[in-house]
Amino acid sequence: MSEFGVYSEVGKLRKVIVHRPGLEMRRLTPSNAESLLFDDVLWVRKARQDHDEFVDLMREEFGVQVFRVHELLEDVVNDPEGRKYILDRKIVPNEVGVGGALELRAWMDEMEPAKLVSHLIGGITVSELPDDYRSVAEKAYGGNEFVIPALPNQLFTRDSSCWIYGGVTVNPMYWPARRKETLHMDAIYKFHPEFKGGDFKVWWGDPDVDHGMATLEGGDVMPIGNGVVLIGMGERTTYQAVSQVAAELFKHGAAERVIAAKMPPDRASMHLDTIFTFCDRDLVTIYEPVVNNITPISYR
């Protein structure tokens, strides 16, 4: 366990959590890509090569300590309590039906860690189920459907949780296709030895709570320094969430001002970091058609 926190958008990167494309990316097809929030399918082998080159560059050239989601999760599910925490929340009747909650849970409880994590992120199709459960599932789902959906957006690790100064949010995501990503990150913070018992706070968010209209994604959140935080409110982050995060930061003395950037709720302004990006303390790149129409709301 060591120190964690983010205190600037342009400071030296020392540690980072990334996700290497895996089974979930091979699940993308022209027919399901849109529902999984992708514009197109990916060349997975090339994506993995690019990812590995980027990780090597961070480690070897810049001395960054790189954590990979699947490796962290393998350690989590190798701990019986960590495995139970995830499966208790993922393999439930509301997600997989009553039969699935029993049969699927028993099967996944016996998986070795690497295979289990591959399926937690990559999903499970009917054709992959054990023979004694598959025949029942085929009647309910059809032969090639997901019993557990894939999570290809786990790739974007900044969104499902984000660090703000000396703490982190565990984010309720806007689209249902992304919400289980947050459970994985929450389990890592709770059960992985690198984070468990760490000197940081969870400012806001809990996978066990229905947050209603309050949704937050880390691509909208920028701790820019000097006690100031920028948070975009566009397609995926709502004022109900921003106001709660601001209140928690103020309560703990973690920030003095939160500036909410109200953007048009459309795809062009999916996240604040796509239209307003810090390159240095006094230098940003902007997408003018959206930035020129931002309405700022200041919390103190």
Side-chain angles (χ1 to χ4, degrees):
M1 187 275 295
S2 52
E3 184 180 354
F4 295 92
V6 172
Y7 299 87
S8 166
E9 283 292 298
V10 295
K12 179 177 174 59
L13 181 64
R14 293 179 172 85
K15 304 175 185 178
V16 66
I17 299 176
V18 299
H19 177 59
R20 188 172 192 255
L23 174 63
E24 70 287 347
M25 291 300 184
R26 299 199 298 274
R27 304 289 204 193
L28 287 172
T29 68
S31 61
N32 71 18
E34 184 177 359
S35 66
L36 293 173
L37 310 180
F38 274 74
D39 292 329
D40 204 348
V41 298
L42 296 185
W43 183 6
V44 180
R45 183 164 62 88
K46 185 65 166 65
R48 293 174 74 120
Q49 290 173 351
D50 290 346
H51 171 90
D52 290 342
E53 289 176 7
F54 184 48
V55 167
D56 289 344
L57 183 67
M58 287 193 289
R59 285 173 170 165
E60 296 171 12
E61 297 296 324
F62 296 98
V64 178
Q65 186 177 6
V66 179
F67 302 96
R68 282 177 162 146
V69 170
H70 72 277
E71 294 170 346
L72 295 171
L73 279 177
E74 284 175 26
D75 291 336
V76 168
V77 301
N78 199 40
D79 175 350
E81 287 301 310
R83 180 177 295 228
K84 183 176 186 298
Y85 182 82
I86 293 175
L87 295 182
D88 278 354
R89 288 156 177 78
K90 196 158 188 171
I91 312 303
V92 295
N94 284 342
E95 300 288 340
V96 298
V98 173
L102 297 173
E103 303 288 342
L104 196 58
R105 173 62 183 269
W107 179 53
M108 296 181 77
D109 262 331
E110 298 301 318
M111 284 184 183
E112 54 90 17
K115 182 178 181 181
L116 177 57
V117 170
S118 179
H119 284 303
L120 288 174
I121 301 174
I124 295 176
T125 64
V126 171
S127 62
E128 294 170 317
L129 294 171
D131 292 340
D132 55 352
Y133 178 53
R134 187 188 311 153
S135 59
V136 175
E138 283 176 343
K139 296 176 182 177
Y141 292 96
N144 295 313
E145 293 188 31
F146 284 115
V147 179
I148 297 178
L151 299 173
N153 293 280
Q154 190 89 66
L155 181 70
F156 307 111
T157 51
R158 175 170 176 158
D159 288 335
S160 49
S161 78
C162 55
W163 291 82
I164 306 174
Y165 298 121
V168 68
T169 58
V170 180
N171 297 335
M173 311 284 274
Y174 179 73
W175 292 106
R178 297 201 64 182
R179 289 175 186 164
K180 293 302 179 185
E181 299 169 41
T182 302
L183 173 62
H184 294 163
M185 299 307 297
D186 185 58
I188 288 169
Y189 298 143
K190 280 184 166 69
F191 294 97
H192 194 279
E194 188 70 30
F195 298 89
K196 184 178 181 180
D199 185 21
F200 62 87
K201 292 184 179 295
V202 176
W203 300 129
W204 185 74
D206 183 342
D208 289 340
V209 173
D210 180 0
H211 290 85
M213 297 295 291
T215 60
L216 179 73
E217 299 198 5
D220 285 313
V221 180
M222 298 183 179
I224 60 173
N226 296 324
V228 180
V229 183
L230 300 183
I231 306 181
M233 295 192 309
E235 184 189 43
R236 304 185 182 190
T237 294
T238 64
Y239 80 91
Q240 292 93 333
V242 174
S243 60
Q244 292 183 64
V245 171
E248 287 300 310
L249 293 173
F250 297 156
K251 183 171 74 174
H252 294 282
E256 296 178 2
R257 186 180 183 185
V258 173
I259 302 173
K262 187 175 185 297
M263 304 176 289
D266 55 40
R267 189 66 182 270
S269 52
M270 180 193 305
H271 288 135
L272 182 62
D273 67 1
T274 64
I275 55 97
F276 184 83
T277 305
F278 277 87
C279 303
D280 207 336
R281 296 180 183 182
D282 57 355
L283 178 67
V284 297
T285 60
I286 67 173
Y287 179 58
E288 289 185 277
V290 175
V291 171
N292 289 343
N293 288 292
I294 284 177
T295 300
I297 304 168
S298 189
Y299 296 85
R300 297 180 185 272

